[in-house]
Amino acid sequence: MPKPLPLLSIPHPCRTKKIPRILTVLLFPIFLSGCLPYLFHLGKEQSSIILGREKIEDILNLQGLDLKTKQKLNLIRDARNFAIGELALNEKGGFEYYTKLDREEIGWNVSASEALELKSYTWWFPIAGTVPYKGFFDHKLALALEKELQSEGYDTRIRAIGGYSTLGWFSDPVLSPQLNWSDHRLVGLVFHEMAHATVYLPGDSTLNESYASYVEEKGVEIYYTKKEGETSSHLQKFKKEKNRREVTLTLLKKYAEELKHLYASNLNKENKQIQKQNIIKNFKEEVIQKKLVPEEKSKEFLTREWNNEDFLGALRYHSGEFSFESLFIQSGNNFPEFHNRVKNLFDLPPESREEFLNKKP
């Protein structure tokens, strides 16, 4: 048995790069005491969301329900049924309920990475395992953590949370801010979050998010093709967004490789920082050149500060498209078999899963 690490080597038990599995039980009481304020924050807000939820069926039967809410809730109900019946997703993945929030955003995730390495900063939590983000329902708490991480020299980013899954532990409701989404994005949200409740490997966020994104995109395409046909306006909007995203991701991967080569070079830190900014500048200019950002937002895009976490964050959700598509075809376009084959990846070592996600056509 490995010798336990000295307690002083874990300055913040709720924020550690990685704890060896053998130490989890030994350090859990310390982890819990260090995280109690944070866990209380999450528990309080999650309890409020669960206690405030109402059955979608009951809301749809209310007199005087506005047309928009009625249309969106009917769409969510239909997408959930499709997810279970056609995509073989876990029925415990939620979207049976609705909760109205008193804020415009659901919450905020804080992410960080090394400044001169494409390596995510990670947190460890029970059940979820190691994850490259920490979520808050209070924006001020998110800002405080970001400031702390920045003071330690990390690249950081705060992102509004579009949706999240409790992995089947609760029947997660649709939340009021989500009703402002376009129809095809709302359908995609249902598929994405229900996918997390179907297949999830604790500690491998890139595999989890990329798998859920694949199911989301494949599901949306099948959903609208079956419901409305090839000429569906929703399907056309989805395909247009997908094409633009694929071009953007190609650029992200291209410049991420340039950053990797830079960080692995023998240049000193000062020169690496200079070259890093040049690479990011070139990336932005190519994005504008290819008109991947609306003209009215191009100035804002060019002036916005980019860093390593922006590259990592995008690739975290969109890696392995070719590999997942190949796996789906090998599964005979059969979703239950596909989900099982993704679960088989859990038995592979991390290096092999990373290789799977990085395969190219």
Side-chain angles (χ1 to χ4, degrees):
M1 179 182 294
K3 183 179 179 182
L5 294 173
L7 299 184
L8 289 177
S9 70
I10 306 175
H12 194 312
C14 193
R15 204 194 71 205
T16 175
K17 294 297 182 70
K18 188 170 183 180
I19 298 177
R21 188 179 297 274
I22 194 68
L23 298 179
T24 300
V25 175
L26 295 173
L27 296 177
F28 185 75
I30 303 161
F31 165 86
L32 189 61
S33 64
C35 282
L36 276 177
Y38 175 68
L39 294 178
F40 176 78
H41 164 70
L42 291 188
K44 176 175 175 290
E45 292 300 325
Q46 182 63 33
S47 296
S48 176
I49 287 172
I50 296 299
L51 293 173
R53 67 189 184 179
E54 299 177 75
K55 272 277 192 179
I56 287 178
E57 297 289 343
D58 294 339
I59 295 176
L60 288 171
N61 289 327
L62 291 175
Q63 293 293 324
L65 183 66
D66 66 277
L67 189 61
K68 174 189 170 184
T69 300
K70 187 173 183 178
Q71 183 264 326
K72 296 292 185 182
L73 292 180
N74 271 315
L75 178 65
I76 289 164
R77 183 176 60 173
D78 191 60
R80 170 185 154 79
N81 291 335
F82 191 89
I84 296 168
E86 300 288 336
L87 308 182
L89 296 178
N90 186 356
E91 64 180 9
K92 293 182 179 179
F95 297 98
E96 298 177 276
Y97 297 88
Y98 168 78
T99 299
K100 182 174 176 58
L101 300 183
D102 59 359
R103 54 185 181 272
E104 293 183 2
E105 298 289 358
I106 296 168
W108 296 266
N109 273 337
V110 180
S111 301
S113 72
E114 301 286 345
L116 292 176
E117 187 178 0
L118 286 180
K119 182 180 179 181
S120 296
Y121 191 100
T122 58
W123 291 263
W124 181 88
F125 299 103
I127 302 172
T130 303
V131 293
Y133 37 70
K134 189 171 182 179
F136 296 89
F137 291 109
D138 186 325
H139 193 231
K140 290 180 180 178
L141 294 177
L143 287 170
L145 176 57
E146 182 186 41
K147 186 176 180 180
E148 180 184 344
L149 290 165
Q150 287 175 340
S151 71
E152 296 175 13
Y154 292 100
D155 282 0
T156 64
R157 184 63 61 215
I158 294 180
R159 299 179 178 92
I161 296 173
Y164 68 92
S165 170
T166 57
L167 308 179
W169 284 76
F170 302 99
S171 183
D172 298 315
V174 63
L175 303 170
S176 51
Q178 295 166 337
L179 297 190
N180 294 318
W181 292 22
S182 60
D183 284 3
H184 67 279
R185 287 192 63 217
L186 199 52
V187 170
L189 170 75
V190 174
F191 298 162
H192 186 105
E193 302 305 339
M194 291 185 73
H196 280 315
T198 305
V199 176
Y200 186 88
L201 175 61
D204 195 333
S205 292
T206 302
L207 177 68
N208 294 329
E209 295 297 353
S210 295
Y211 154 76
S213 292
Y214 176 81
V215 172
E216 171 189 343
E217 294 186 0
K218 178 66 71 174
V220 168
E221 190 167 350
I222 295 172
Y223 178 85
Y224 279 110
T225 300
K226 286 193 173 185
K227 297 283 182 178
E228 300 177 0
E230 293 287 349
T231 59
S232 163
S233 61
H234 295 106
L235 184 59
Q236 298 310 312
K237 287 178 183 176
F238 162 76
K239 287 184 175 180
K240 185 177 180 181
E241 288 179 7
K242 183 179 179 180
N243 289 337
R244 176 173 291 187
R245 181 167 58 252
E246 286 175 348
V247 175
T248 304
L249 284 168
T250 298
L251 283 184
L252 278 163
K253 291 174 182 178
K254 169 187 169 183
Y255 285 97
E257 283 301 314
E258 288 191 22
L259 288 170
K260 284 182 184 178
H261 288 304
L262 169 66
Y263 299 149
S265 72
N266 294 324
L267 289 175
N268 60 35
K269 288 185 178 181
E270 184 179 350
N271 282 323
K272 283 183 180 180
Q273 284 286 6
I274 293 171
Q275 291 302 315
K276 171 185 176 181
Q277 295 309 315
N278 288 336
I279 290 171
I280 291 174
K281 179 175 177 290
N282 292 338
F283 163 73
K284 288 181 176 181
E285 289 176 349
E286 190 164 356
V287 166
I288 297 298
Q289 181 187 348
K290 293 184 181 297
K291 298 182 178 180
L292 297 173
V293 174
E295 188 174 345
E296 64 272 16
K297 293 187 177 181
S298 58
K299 185 176 180 180
E300 177 188 344
F301 175 78
L302 286 170
T303 55
R304 176 180 176 270
E305 180 190 352
W306 268 65
N307 60 45
N308 288 345
E309 177 50 34
D310 292 298
F311 288 89
L312 288 168
L315 299 177
R316 187 177 298 133
Y317 280 77
H318 296 283
S319 294
E321 296 97 330
F322 170 74
S323 294
F324 283 120
E325 179 66 16
S326 298
L327 203 60
F328 186 69
I329 293 170
Q330 291 166 23
S331 305
N333 295 348
N334 179 279
F335 275 100
E337 176 63 21
F338 171 68
H339 301 318
N340 285 331
R341 292 196 180 209
V342 174
K343 289 177 183 177
N344 290 338
L345 297 174
F346 295 1
D347 297 328
L348 299 177
E351 298 78 12
S352 298
R353 294 198 301 271
E354 185 176 354
E355 184 180 339
F356 170 84
L357 293 172
N358 290 329
K359 279 183 181 177
K360 298 178 180 179

